[in-house]
Every structure is written in structure tokens, then in C-alpha cells.
Amino acid sequence: MFTLNLLIGVLLFTPFNLSSFRKQVISSDLKVIESPYISRATNNYNVFENVKPPKRVNLNGEDIIPQITFPEIAQKDFKDAFNVLDECLVMEPGFGFNFPFIAPGGHYGACWWQIDASLALNGAKWVNQHFSENVLRGFASVRKPDGRIPLYGYDEIPGYPICSSLPKLFGSAYAVLKHSNDNELIHTTYDYLKKYMDWWSDARRDNETGLITGVFEESFPPVENQLKRVAQVDLNVEIAAGCNILGKLAKHLGITSDYRKYSAMEEEIKAAINKYMWDESSGAYYSYRIKEKKLDSGLFCYAFDPFRLQIAPRERISAMVSMLTDDNFFNWDSNPITSAAKTDKSYNETVGTYNGAFAWSGDIWTLRNEVVIRGLEDIGRYDLAAYLSLRTVNLFNANYAEFIKPSDGTGHGEQRYAWSASQYIQILIENIFGIDYNSFNNTITIRPNLDGSLAGKDISLEKLLLPDGNRLSLYLSKKTESTTIRYQIDGENKEQRIVISLPTNEAIACKVANRSKKNVKLTKLKKGAALIYQIDNGKKYDDEFTFLFGSHK
């Protein structure tokens, strides 16, 4: 059996190839972790012969997977996404992580990676909340004394500084906590996320610009190997989003000083992004080269990440949307979105195995599409978000590959990749069906966002397992001038308030009729470019509403 020291020795005396880094660590990694008798004590490297393996976590049982009816998505394909999560499950964790987690998949082996384990929670939480909460406890056990949460278990990369990861953990952790009633877990997770954010501020922030700088996989493409040289767009948007999340958690926990601190930091990061990363002539955001005090020349799809939280000012949105939807740049009309602009000199379509930065310079990733979908929702462009959501799940349906070749839609890299499957599940449930469960305010929000091409189609999600043990069934019918939402919640818990809402980007009148054909009082909300029609339906767990659009003469 390979030991950790042997692995490090091999890496130190072997010429380092950035493009194959993840592949280099896998074979020894798999051999170290495969044993069912790995101790969970200390650093988890000790081997004991009489430790009984824990019972396998259920991530893909027929009893927990919802039933879907959706154009071009068969139930067996939907279930297969959960099968991928199960295949990537590591029940005997190591390298300080003391709970089961989901690894990247396939030849990457069984080491934990911060970003992969984080993104895997986005799908896993819809079938196993207990497992998802334990993954958050696992992250608490690997945090370093200075607050840093490492890139992965080995925490060493030849030729690179000690680093972390693009911090998707903030968003994934918050999504799990919103489903939880465990106050101790909420406090524990908040504490280490707060220290993690403070590490980013202390170790990676540039004093002059206020931007956060990154190395290696703290941004994608993972090319930078020198500290405080480049501030990347995706990293800074994630930090701003992380501050927003910490502010929400601090407010929920009643910690006013922290709420003010992280709200202020959020605004500072947003201001720095807008001051230093925007190029007026091209109408796009670029990474900023700190030492040279200039924009980087690479045009990547993280140019659209500042849609998130409405970071981009209103006057810039039009230019950004024009670039996003221009097929000449990011393939919008066919297989969107390419990770680099097709006009960029770095553009490349990787086939076969993952090859580092090249695979992030053209190929399609769920990680990239999902943040743009959320950003489009944040600015109120639900019409574009609906289109990109549908195209993304169609591309990755029964094709849960690491990344996709834009020109033909074929999957490449690892063919059974955890975060692709997880974000496919997430986009379907949360962005298309529009289901949000929030234990902080005891609210279930149903806000479907259907692309126009789904008009006249049968669409439903049945027996979705909610965190409180209840089951939600949702039936949707979209027509030219109406959308019907019917839902039913079965179970013993009757504490959640139900909110039904529907976004529209068209300036047309709307009224709502209930199951008895009687008009229902609406609340109309403005969000960016959208109008959202909303119904507070109290604790009615079985109801139906038809949203009617038109003149209503």
C-alpha cells in the first residue's frame, strides 16, 4: 500500500505537469483510502483490522428519489444522476475528514476535494439531509488554525503556494443549513465559514485595490502560481456572495456586529469589482493583474458572474446580455455556454481526459452555467435563465461527464462526474421547478421558471423528499396565455408556510384563479427586469392556481 509520504516523494521528484495534476494524485490516493478499516482518529492514516465499516449512506434508493415527468428526460436518466453521486460516495474518509463525503468520481479516487464535496451537496441534500449535514461537520474538522480550508486532502501542490479552492463552500453550506433545524450545526458551520472568510481577507486581499487574489484552483482556468499577482472575476464574485451569506447567517443568529462587518465587506468587494475589472470598450468584466495594474486579456464566461447579487450596475447589464446572447461569443444559440469566448485566442475544445486550463478554455461546465443562471435570476432576466437552465439539463442529461464539447455536445473528461450530476439535479429542482425550502423562516416557495419551448408539455415532480420528512408533488402546465401550478404536500409536519410565485419578463396584466375559478389576491414584486406575481397561501398543503396573462376584459 502506498503511504502519503511515498506519494509526496513521487510528486516532488517527478516533473510537475499542471494539466494532469488531479490525475497524478489519484492512483495512490485510491489505494490509501480504499481500505474499509481506515481509522477516523487524528489524521486518519492509521490502519486497524477490527473496525466495522459504517452502514452505507443512501443517496439513490427508490424510496428517496422523486418521480419526474419532463420532456426528453426519462425517469431512469434522472435516477442515474443520483447513481453517480452514490458511485462517488466515500464511506471511509481520510486526511482529516471524519465523515463520509462525495469525491469527484472515477479515476480521481477517494481523496476529498473542497469544491467537489461542496458542489455535490447541492443535489445530495434533496435526498439525504443527514448525510449533507455531516459533510459540513467534516469540513469543520479539516479547517486549519488560520481559518483556511485546503484545496484537498493532501494540501500540497508541487510548484504552487499552499492554497485553498474556489470557495463554492459558502453557497453549498448555506443551502444545507437552510434545510436544517440543528442550531448547533448552524453555529459550528457559521464559525468556521467566518474564520475561512477572514483567511481570504488576511491572506489573499490586495491592500491597494481591495480585490481578492487567487492561485491555482482558487479560480478557473487554474493557471496562476504566484501569490497576489492576479485577482480573478469568479473568485471575487464568490467572495462577495460568501460575505452576503455570512451576513444572512449573522442576522439569523442575532450577531449584529458580524452582520455589519460582512455586509460592509460585501459592498467593498462589489465596488472593487466594478472599479477595476470592467472594460467599457468591450462591455465585459476581466480579471485584474495586480502588479501590472491592468486588465487581463482573456475573455472567459466568468465575465457574466457579476450578474450575481446585481453586482453589475444597471447601465452595464444591456451590454453584458448582448454579449452573452451573441452566438459568436459563447455559443448561446446551440450549446451554451462556452467557458471561454469563441473569439478568444485561448479557445480550445478539449476531448478525452481532463487537461487542466485547456479544458476551462472552451468546454462547457455545469459549474460555469449554474452561476450564470443564478445571476440572470438575480437581475430579473428569468427568460434567459429559463433558457440556459433547460439547455444545461438537456446537455448533461444521461451525460454526467466532467465537461462537454460545445461543437457536438459529447461528454469528456471523467464520464461519471459528481458535481455535474449534482448541479443537474439542482438546476432541475431549484431553477426549473423553482422549489426553495427555508427552515429559517419556515417557508416553502414554489416559483417555477419554464422556458417557452415547454408550453403544452406534461411537467411534474412527484414525492420530492423535503427536509422535514414531508413529500412534495408539483404539477405544472404552461400555455400561451396561462400557467397552472398544482401542488400537494403529504406528511405530518404542518409548520411551513407556502408561497407560490411566477416571474415574467413581459409587461402584461396578470390575474390568478384558484381551483374554484375564484380570483385570488396577488402581490406584485419588481426584481430587476422582472415582475414577480406572488401568493401567500398560508399553510394550505394542497392547492392549485392558474396565472392568466392578457387584457382580462
Side-chain angles (χ1 to χ4, degrees):
M1 177 180 290
F2 282 90
T3 65
L4 178 66
N5 289 335
L6 178 58
L7 171 68
I8 293 173
V10 170
L11 290 177
L12 288 177
F13 293 101
T14 302
F16 182 65
N17 179 356
L18 168 63
S19 69
S20 62
F21 167 67
R22 281 198 168 201
K23 189 174 180 179
Q24 278 189 331
V25 301
I26 53 162
S27 58
S28 296
D29 173 20
L30 183 59
K31 293 176 183 177
V32 169
I33 304 296
E34 259 188 348
S35 168
Y37 307 114
I38 297 296
S39 167
R40 292 188 177 185
T42 321
N43 288 324
N44 301 357
Y45 304 140
N46 299 320
V47 176
F48 298 93
E49 294 184 354
N50 297 314
V51 179
K52 184 179 179 180
K55 182 179 178 181
R56 188 169 183 82
V57 168
N58 183 9
L59 293 175
N60 67 336
E62 296 289 350
D63 57 328
I64 58 174
I65 297 175
Q67 298 291 315
I68 194 168
T69 301
F70 200 90
E72 300 182 23
I73 295 179
Q75 177 65 25
K76 66 180 180 60
D77 296 330
F78 183 54
K79 182 182 186 302
D80 198 37
F82 295 93
N83 291 340
V84 172
L85 298 184
D86 176 71
E87 291 164 15
C88 300
L89 175 66
V90 177
M91 286 301 301
E92 294 81 40
F95 304 106
F97 211 100
N98 53 9
F99 287 92
F101 61 87
I102 295 175
H107 70 260
Y108 286 120
C111 184
W112 64 266
W113 294 73
Q114 184 196 144
I115 191 169
D116 297 83
S118 297
L119 293 177
L121 292 175
N122 296 333
K125 70 179 186 290
W126 287 109
V127 289
N128 198 318
Q129 175 69 12
H130 179 70
F131 161 79
S132 301
E133 292 182 1
N134 278 342
V135 172
L136 296 188
R137 295 183 176 96
F139 277 118
S141 69
V142 297
R143 179 180 61 83
K144 300 300 181 181
D146 61 359
R148 180 178 64 92
I149 298 177
L151 169 74
Y152 76 137
Y154 290 109
D155 199 23
E156 289 193 16
I157 309 160
Y160 284 77
I162 290 296
C163 67
S164 185
S165 178
L166 183 67
K168 291 290 185 178
L169 176 59
F170 290 108
S172 296
Y174 184 68
V176 172
L177 294 181
K178 277 175 57 181
H179 285 203
S180 179
N181 289 311
D182 189 328
N183 287 326
E184 182 179 355
L185 174 68
I186 294 169
H187 277 88
T188 297
T189 305
Y190 174 72
D191 182 67
Y192 74 71
L193 289 179
K194 181 174 70 169
K195 290 180 171 64
Y196 185 35
M197 181 60 74
D198 292 346
W199 174 82
W200 281 105
S201 182
D202 294 341
R204 292 289 193 265
R205 199 167 188 182
D206 174 61
N207 291 331
E208 181 177 343
T209 64
L211 291 168
I212 304 296
T213 61
V215 297
F216 197 50
E217 288 192 3
E218 292 170 358
S219 171
F220 294 98
V223 294
E224 186 53 51
N225 64 357
Q226 294 186 30
L227 292 173
K228 293 195 172 182
R229 191 166 78 169
V230 177
Q232 298 91 345
V233 178
D234 54 348
L235 173 58
N236 279 268
V237 170
E238 290 299 328
I239 293 295
C243 288
N244 179 270
I245 285 165
L246 287 171
K248 290 177 181 177
L249 288 172
K251 188 174 183 179
H252 174 70
L253 295 171
I255 310 174
T256 304
S257 59
D258 280 2
Y259 171 74
R260 291 171 179 167
K261 172 183 175 179
Y262 293 110
S263 295
M265 185 175 173
E266 176 189 352
E267 294 307 313
E268 291 168 4
I269 297 293
K270 288 178 176 179
I273 290 171
N274 284 318
K275 180 177 181 179
Y276 293 101
M277 293 180 156
W278 173 255
D279 178 57
E280 185 67 32
S281 62
S282 62
Y285 286 88
Y286 295 80
S287 291
Y288 186 77
R289 307 192 69 82
I290 298 293
K291 302 298 184 184
E292 298 95 326
K293 296 185 178 182
K294 68 177 185 179
L295 294 173
D296 188 75
S297 61
L299 181 56
F300 297 94
C301 70
Y302 58 46
F304 308 111
D305 287 15
F307 285 145
R308 286 284 286 119
L309 303 171
Q310 298 184 9
I311 293 172
R314 184 178 302 175
E315 62 270 18
R316 294 178 181 174
I317 297 297
S318 178
M320 294 171 68
V321 168
S322 293
M323 177 178 284
L324 173 65
T325 57
D326 184 342
D327 192 66
N328 293 316
F329 286 101
F330 292 95
N331 221 40
W332 182 260
D333 295 338
S334 49
N335 293 328
I337 50 179
T338 56
S339 46
K342 294 187 289 184
T343 56
D344 193 85
K345 64 182 180 181
S346 70
Y347 185 80
N348 160 80
E349 294 192 358
T350 293
V351 295
T353 58
Y354 177 73
N355 60 354
F358 295 105
W360 292 95
S361 301
D363 293 282
I364 301 165
W365 294 74
T366 59
L367 179 145
R368 287 300 190 214
N369 283 18
E370 189 273 337
V371 70
V372 177
I373 290 166
R374 293 185 65 190
L376 289 168
E377 292 177 353
D378 285 351
I379 64 169
R381 288 306 304 264
Y382 284 93
D383 52 345
L384 301 181
Y387 170 80
L388 185 55
S389 295
L390 183 60
R391 292 299 301 124
T392 303
V393 297
N394 284 342
L395 280 167
F396 283 90
N397 180 58
N399 185 23
Y400 307 113
E402 196 170 358
F403 49 89
I404 283 176
K405 183 182 176 185
S407 57
D408 61 14
T410 55
H412 295 273
E414 178 54 50
Q415 293 296 299
R416 309 280 288 175
Y417 198 59
W419 92 37
S420 296
S422 177
Q423 292 193 295
Y424 161 89
I425 296 165
Q426 175 190 11
I427 292 168
L428 268 169
I429 295 175
E430 299 175 26
N431 300 101
I432 295 178
F433 282 95
I435 299 168
D436 178 74
Y437 185 101
N438 192 336
S439 65
F440 295 163
N441 58 14
N442 291 325
T443 301
I444 297 172
T445 300
I446 299 172
R447 190 222 60 218
N449 190 28
L450 304 181
D451 183 67
S453 64
L454 296 174
K457 310 290 186 179
D458 292 328
I459 298 172
S460 65
L461 189 68
E462 299 178 273
K463 300 182 179 179
L464 174 69
L465 179 63
L466 299 178
D468 60 8
N470 286 354
R471 300 277 183 158
L472 168 64
S473 294
L474 179 60
Y475 306 88
L476 306 174
S477 176
K478 182 180 178 67
K479 298 179 181 178
T480 304
E481 296 184 351
S482 69
T483 297
T484 298
I485 301 171
R486 178 166 64 92
Y487 72 92
Q488 179 178 326
I489 299 175
D490 298 310
E492 297 180 359
N493 191 307
K494 304 296 182 183
E495 298 302 317
Q496 298 292 324
R497 183 171 60 92
I498 312 301
V499 173
I500 308 296
S501 67
L502 193 70
T504 177
N505 287 104
E506 299 177 25
I508 53 179
C510 176
K511 68 177 183 180
V512 178
N514 62 16
R515 185 176 282 155
S516 302
K517 310 296 184 184
K518 294 181 180 180
N519 289 346
V520 177
K521 184 178 179 181
L522 277 174
T523 299
K524 186 166 65 174
L525 306 174
K526 178 72 173 174
K527 182 179 180 181
L531 283 176
I532 300 177
Y533 298 96
Q534 185 165 293
I535 304 162
D536 187 334
N537 207 33
K539 296 182 179 180
K540 296 179 181 178
Y541 278 31
D542 185 345
D543 218 331
E544 178 179 321
F545 298 98
T546 298
F547 291 74
L548 302 164
F549 299 98
S551 61
H552 311 314
K553 293 179 180 179

